[in-house]
Amino acid sequence: MATGSRTLWKGAITFGLVHIPVGLHTASIEQGVDFDWLDKRTMDPVGYKRINKKTGKEIDKENIVKGFEYEDGKYVVISPDEIEAVYPRTTQTIEIQRFIDANEIPFVYLERPYYVAPINKGQKVYALLREVLIKSGKVGLAKVVIATKQHLAVLVPSGKALVLNLLRWGDEVKTLEGLDLPAAGVKGASVSAAEMKMAQQLVDDMSGKWDPEDFKDEFKHAVMKIVQKKVKAGDTETVIQPEEEAPDEGSNVIDLSELLQRSLKAGSSGKAKAPATKKRSAKTAAKSAAKARKTAAKKTHAAAKKVA
């Protein structure tokens, strides 16, 4: 499976006093077919207009405010300044909150995966975290801010890579309440031994190894055949799209892997003292990281205001 090499986000994995400089890379591709709107007369891209749903007239951006519907038909208007004031602080870190057993998180919470790759000479500490997670059977439950939005996430070892899978928050997953489900257990569900035996045999007959190449989006492939046929016949149009700005590369993060031992001491004593020979360099590194985080936060807020 091919993956793009463009780094979407740069920052660090942190736990204790350890920083592992990393970059995020998309680990998934949106499936399905995405059709763009075009003006059939000129083949120009067609965008969405800001329309007043009551009058049907287009309105200027300056006349649009953001409202939150707290009851049916009743709204509270939130100003851009109020929104900016509560934006999550951009720290450029994947901050591990705790380590939990790998099988503790139900699949329903998994939302979107990203590959995590080491940068700035962080390979050794990256490998250390990956291997200790594999050996312990643990995953890292973390918080991360991406594009001004805070996410709960889980850091999972997968082969040679660490994968950051964004999670749904607890209040975003519905409970089983109200579902008409059969009782748990064979006896509770009134399943006979003969039925279980036949079902087990069917499962065994249909069992095989996981191979993602065995399954395709049939509709997408059918549409792509039509596209390829038209391209081969020369039945194509040229559309000029507006150029997009290059994404912000984010802040540089100092590799502080030598703080692993200090993290262990901090966990037992509540304090971690730097060796005398490292005191000055660690202080300088902390100031540099803080300055970089502050700069990244300003850029992120400015971009958010521009979009708003």
Side-chain angles (χ1 to χ4, degrees):
M1 179 177 62
T3 60
S5 60
R6 186 169 67 90
T7 303
L8 302 177
W9 180 95
K10 285 185 179 180
I13 298 170
T14 67
F15 62 102
L17 299 177
V18 177
H19 280 56
I20 307 174
V22 296
L24 287 188
H25 302 259
T26 181
S28 61
I29 301 173
E30 292 295 332
Q31 292 298 319
V33 180
D34 184 17
F35 294 104
D36 292 329
W37 288 2
L38 304 174
D39 187 328
K40 69 177 183 180
R41 300 165 298 179
T42 60
M43 286 296 115
D44 292 330
V46 176
Y48 294 96
K49 290 185 176 181
R50 299 179 177 89
I51 301 296
N52 183 314
K53 293 182 178 181
K54 185 175 182 180
T55 65
K57 295 181 179 180
E58 185 176 0
I59 59 176
D60 297 331
K61 180 180 178 181
E62 291 73 18
N63 291 324
I64 296 178
V65 295
K66 293 184 177 180
F68 179 83
E69 188 176 20
Y70 67 96
E71 289 182 8
D72 188 21
K74 295 183 178 181
Y75 288 80
V76 170
V77 174
I78 310 294
S79 72
D81 289 340
E82 289 173 319
I83 293 175
E84 183 177 359
V86 296
Y87 268 140
R89 184 169 60 92
T90 302
T91 60
Q92 295 300 116
T93 58
I94 300 168
E95 185 179 354
I96 296 178
Q97 306 287 304
R98 69 183 64 168
F99 294 99
I100 62 176
D101 290 339
N103 60 358
E104 273 195 67
I105 302 177
F107 286 118
V108 70
Y109 283 88
L110 302 179
E111 186 170 26
R112 183 182 303 166
Y114 290 93
Y115 290 127
V116 182
I119 59 175
N120 297 343
K121 300 181 180 180
Q123 285 83 356
K124 184 175 181 179
V125 195
Y126 179 97
L128 174 63
L129 176 59
R130 180 192 65 201
E131 296 305 316
V132 75
L133 289 178
I134 292 173
K135 185 175 181 179
S136 64
K138 301 285 187 179
V139 294
L141 196 62
K143 286 185 179 180
V144 60
V145 177
I146 302 175
T148 74
K149 184 177 181 181
Q150 187 180 57
H151 299 272
L152 184 64
V154 60
L155 197 63
V156 182
S158 179
K160 295 193 300 182
L162 287 173
V163 175
L164 185 77
N165 203 314
L166 302 187
L167 300 176
R168 296 177 175 88
W169 296 100
D171 57 2
E172 293 178 336
V173 176
K174 293 182 177 181
T175 68
L176 299 178
E177 186 178 355
L179 299 180
D180 185 15
L181 302 175
V186 175
K187 291 184 178 180
S190 300
V191 176
S192 69
E195 291 169 332
M196 275 294 294
K197 184 178 180 179
M198 287 187 291
Q200 184 64 58
Q201 183 178 347
L202 179 58
V203 169
D204 291 341
D205 291 344
M206 295 181 64
S207 294
K209 292 185 177 180
W210 161 246
D211 186 352
E213 296 301 319
D214 289 342
F215 303 93
K216 307 289 184 182
D217 182 338
E218 296 178 3
F219 173 70
K220 176 184 175 182
H221 283 271
V223 172
M224 290 309 299
K225 284 184 179 180
I226 297 174
V227 171
Q228 291 166 4
K229 183 177 179 181
K230 286 180 176 287
V231 170
K232 188 175 182 179
D235 186 9
T236 64
E237 303 287 350
T238 300
V239 178
I240 300 176
Q241 296 284 355
E243 295 184 1
E244 296 183 358
E245 295 183 0
D248 183 9
E249 290 296 329
S251 62
N252 293 324
V253 181
I254 308 297
D255 182 2
L256 301 179
S257 60
E258 70 273 14
L259 295 179
L260 181 60
Q261 185 61 40
R262 290 174 56 196
S263 297
L264 292 174
K265 292 180 180 179
S268 59
S269 65
K271 290 186 177 181
K273 295 182 180 180
T277 57
K278 297 291 184 178
K279 185 175 182 180
R280 185 176 180 181
S281 60
K283 184 176 181 181
T284 302
K287 287 184 177 180
S288 299
K291 184 177 180 181
R293 290 195 297 266
K294 186 175 181 181
T295 301
K298 288 182 178 180
K299 289 182 179 179
T300 304
H301 289 163
K305 288 177 67 179
K306 185 176 180 180
V307 172

